[in-house]
């Protein structure tokens, strides 16, 4: 049981499940439930890989800052066990995504997004281009599902997903920004500082909500989305990512409300 708990914590369970549920909801609007669940499972496996590699790569830094909430630091799971889990999950993720409903095109697009998430963990995290993998990975997530139905992903959908991804990056960094700087981790948010990063995050969330509402107006969800996005500008650093997740769910509701435009989009 400790091992399972350790794996769940190493997967960054909250964000992983949010992304998985989002993919399930979107897929359900374009497929019937059977393929949608298979797509969501493939997405889940990909997110496991991103979370696992993040914790494994950050182990020494987490140990340095005594982040006992991390499973490797607390000893709930070992580096060897996590490495083995990555080796087991990786081929299954490839097979499920390429051989499943996403097909070769959709599966490769999603796996490219997973690769960008892993590349962030291993390289981009400490560069000025740190938001890039988030933007590409989130855009790939929604695009792969649309492409799998032989449709061209609309520009508004790709843009909204990319904006949401970048805002997630800024929100996620804020809670550890000071410790990151002492460790020499200098991605774009760390270089811009807390105040600027918070402003950018809130601004991107508001822009995303406005974009989705413009695609298919829905006044109640628009108001809720804007209020939730604004709250992130004053939320404590440790709670900001949670606030973003709530806003993301609202934005997804707006996205699904606009799903009719997806069905009518041009065929590839």
């Amino acid at each position: 049981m400790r091992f399972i708990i350790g794996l769940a914590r190493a997967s960054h369970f909250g964000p992983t499940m949010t992304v998985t549920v989002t993919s399930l909801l979107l897929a359900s609007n374009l497929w019937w439930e059977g393929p949608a669940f298979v797509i969501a499972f493939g997405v889940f496996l990909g997110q496991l890989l991103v979370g696992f590699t993040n914790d494994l790569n950050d182990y020494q830094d987490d140990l340095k800052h005594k982040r006992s909430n991390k499973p490797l630091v607390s000893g709930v799971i070992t580096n060897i066990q996590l490495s083995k889990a990555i080796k087991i999950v990786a081929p299954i993720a490839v097979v499920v995504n390429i051989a499943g409903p996403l097909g070769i095109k959709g599966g490769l697009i999603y796996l490219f997004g997973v690769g960008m998430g892993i590349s962030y963990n291993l390289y981009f995290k400490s560069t000025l281009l740190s938001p890039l993998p988030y933007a590409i990975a989130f855009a790939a997530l929604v695009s792969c599902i649309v492409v799998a139905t032989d449709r061209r992903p609309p520009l508004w959908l790709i843009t909204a997903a990319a904006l949401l991804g970048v805002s997630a990056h800024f929100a996620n960094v804020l809670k550890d920004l000071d410790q990151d700087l002492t460790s020499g981790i200098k991605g774009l948010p760390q270089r811009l500082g807390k105040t600027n990063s918070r402003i950018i995050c809130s601004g991107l969330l508001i822009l995303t909500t406005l974009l989705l509402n413009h695609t298919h107006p829905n006044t109640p969800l628009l108001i809720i989305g804007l209020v939730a996005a604004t709250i992130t500008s004053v939320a404590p650093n440790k709670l900001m990512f949670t606030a973003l997740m709530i806003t993301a769910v609202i934005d997804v509701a707006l996205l699904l409300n606009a799903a009719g435009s997806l069905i009518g989009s041009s065929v590839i």
Side-chain angles (χ1 to χ4, degrees), residues 179-264:
Q179 292 180 343
D180 285 345
L181 289 174
T182 63
S183 297
I185 299 173
K186 296 182 179 179
L188 185 59
Q190 290 90 343
R191 296 171 193 242
L192 292 176
K194 287 184 178 180
T195 300
N196 290 331
S197 293
R198 183 181 286 273
I199 292 172
I200 290 172
C201 179
S202 300
L204 289 174
L205 284 175
I206 291 173
L207 183 60
T208 303
T209 301
L210 291 175
L211 173 61
L212 293 175
N213 183 73
H214 176 73
T215 303
H216 192 98
N218 185 310
T219 302
L221 283 176
L222 171 64
I223 294 173
I224 295 172
L226 291 177
V227 170
T230 304
I231 287 175
T232 62
S233 65
V234 295
N237 293 332
K238 290 185 178 181
L239 296 179
M240 191 169 179
F241 191 69
T242 301
L244 180 141
M245 302 276 280
I246 295 172
T247 305
V249 171
I250 295 170
D251 281 339
V252 167
L254 281 169
L255 184 154
L256 295 177
N257 192 49
S261 60
L262 283 177
I263 302 301

Side-chain angles (χ1 to χ4, degrees), residues 47-156:
Q47 295 307 300
L48 288 183
L49 291 176
V50 176
F52 289 168
T53 55
N54 179 273
D55 266 29
L56 194 60
N57 187 68
D58 287 355
Y59 173 63
Q60 291 299 329
D61 190 59
D62 290 338
L63 197 62
K64 172 184 176 181
H65 293 292
K66 300 178 181 179
R67 294 175 181 141
S68 57
N69 60 316
K70 294 296 188 77
L72 289 177
V73 176
S74 64
V76 177
I77 192 172
T78 68
N79 289 32
I80 294 176
Q81 289 174 322
L82 193 54
S83 296
K84 287 182 178 179
I86 292 172
K87 293 176 181 177
I88 292 172
V89 172
I92 299 175
V94 171
V95 171
V96 171
N97 282 288
I98 292 181
L102 288 181
I104 294 177
K105 288 188 296 184
L108 288 177
I109 290 173
Y110 175 63
L111 291 173
F112 176 68
V114 172
M116 291 305 298
I118 294 173
S119 72
Y120 169 82
N121 297 333
L122 303 180
Y123 173 71
F124 284 99
K125 185 175 184 177
S126 296
T127 73
L128 281 171
L129 296 177
S130 61
L132 183 62
Y134 272 81
I136 294 177
F138 274 63
L141 173 65
V142 296
S143 296
C144 72
I145 299 173
V146 180
V147 166
T149 64
D150 291 326
R151 292 180 174 86
R152 182 179 295 112
L155 182 59
W156 66 263

